[in-house]
């Protein structure tokens, strides 16, 4: 093919650099989530499930669908949380075919520990940043997410 004009080569290079930084950021966020969960003796999956159960609108099938995981995987994590005494389950008062899940006092304590550690990280890393830069990053991220989703939907 025809060689790219220099301005286009620079834009392609800049895009590749941005993708490399985004990949590094994504990996770092995953690593931090694992560290935060582990600080309370949890896995990331267990932490996610505790957060969801704490909303009091938890339904395992909906959680599995939203997290793009299987119902069996969600059931396994629920069993782990039940075995550790972090979650309790009861037959729904509204519909006997349903189960109501709730955090136990231990579950609430573990979740509060993770949330407190997360807040410390936000206070140390995010809050000192320039507010306008954070707003610009958020706006740009939203645009990028929208464009990627739209592109992926065409495939």
């Amino acid at each position: 093919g025809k060689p790219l004009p220099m301005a286009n080569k620079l834009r392609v290079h800049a895009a590749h650099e941005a993708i490399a930084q985004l990949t590094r950021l994504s990996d770092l966020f995953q690593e931090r989530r694992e560290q935060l969960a582990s600080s309370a003796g949890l896995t990331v999956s267990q932490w996610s499930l505790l957060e969801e159960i704490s909303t009091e609108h938890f339904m395992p099938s909906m959680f599995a669908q939203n997290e793009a995981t299987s119902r069996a995987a969600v059931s396994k994590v629920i069993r782990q949380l039940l075995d550790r005494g972090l979650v309790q389950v009861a037959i729904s008062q509204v519909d006997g075919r349903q189960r109501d899940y709730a955090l136990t006092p231990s579950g609430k304590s573990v979740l509060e520990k993770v949330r407190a550690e997360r807040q410390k990280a936000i206070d140390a890393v995010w809050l000192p940043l320039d507010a306008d830069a954070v707003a610009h990053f958020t706006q740009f991220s939203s645009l990028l997410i929208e464009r990627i989703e739209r592109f992926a939907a065409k495939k």
Side-chain angles (χ1 to χ4, degrees):
K2 199 164 62 167
L4 293 174
M6 184 51 92
N8 207 16
K9 281 184 182 179
L10 291 174
R11 289 188 69 165
V12 168
H13 178 73
H16 282 276
E17 285 293 311
I19 291 165
Q21 290 298 314
L22 185 57
T23 300
R24 189 169 168 215
L25 184 61
S26 176
D27 292 346
L28 191 55
F29 261 85
Q30 182 58 35
E31 186 180 319
R32 278 298 298 147
R33 278 197 303 276
E34 289 168 6
Q35 286 174 346
L36 283 168
S38 142
S39 75
L42 299 170
T43 65
V44 172
S45 297
Q46 291 168 342
W47 175 21
S48 295
L49 209 47
L50 283 178
E51 286 286 3
E52 190 66 24
I53 290 170
S54 77
T55 67
E56 299 176 11
H57 300 291
F58 173 71
M59 292 179 58
S61 57
M62 294 294 289
F63 182 79
Q65 184 178 351
N66 292 341
E67 295 293 311
T69 190
S70 69
R71 289 181 184 185
V74 172
S75 292
K76 179 182 175 185
V77 177
I78 290 172
R79 277 192 307 278
Q80 292 168 352
L81 295 173
L82 285 166
D83 291 347
R84 291 186 55 193
L86 301 177
V87 170
Q88 59 193 12
V89 63
I91 295 172
S92 171
Q93 299 297 321
V94 178
D95 181 348
R97 297 168 296 173
Q98 301 291 323
R99 302 288 175 264
D100 287 336
Y101 296 87
L103 299 182
T104 63
S106 293
K108 289 176 184 171
S109 174
V110 165
L111 188 55
E112 285 308 313
K113 180 178 180 183
V114 179
R115 287 175 174 171
E117 288 299 313
R118 182 173 183 259
Q119 190 59 53
K120 278 190 217 170
I122 290 169
D123 292 349
V125 175
W126 287 90
L127 295 188
L129 295 171
D130 178 73
D132 289 339
V134 173
H136 183 73
F137 174 79
T138 302
Q139 184 181 9
F140 180 78
S141 297
S142 295
L143 175 65
L144 187 57
I145 289 165
E146 183 183 306
R147 292 177 64 87
I148 291 170
E149 287 174 342
R150 207 170 38 235
F151 180 80
K154 291 179 186 175
K155 298 294 172 188

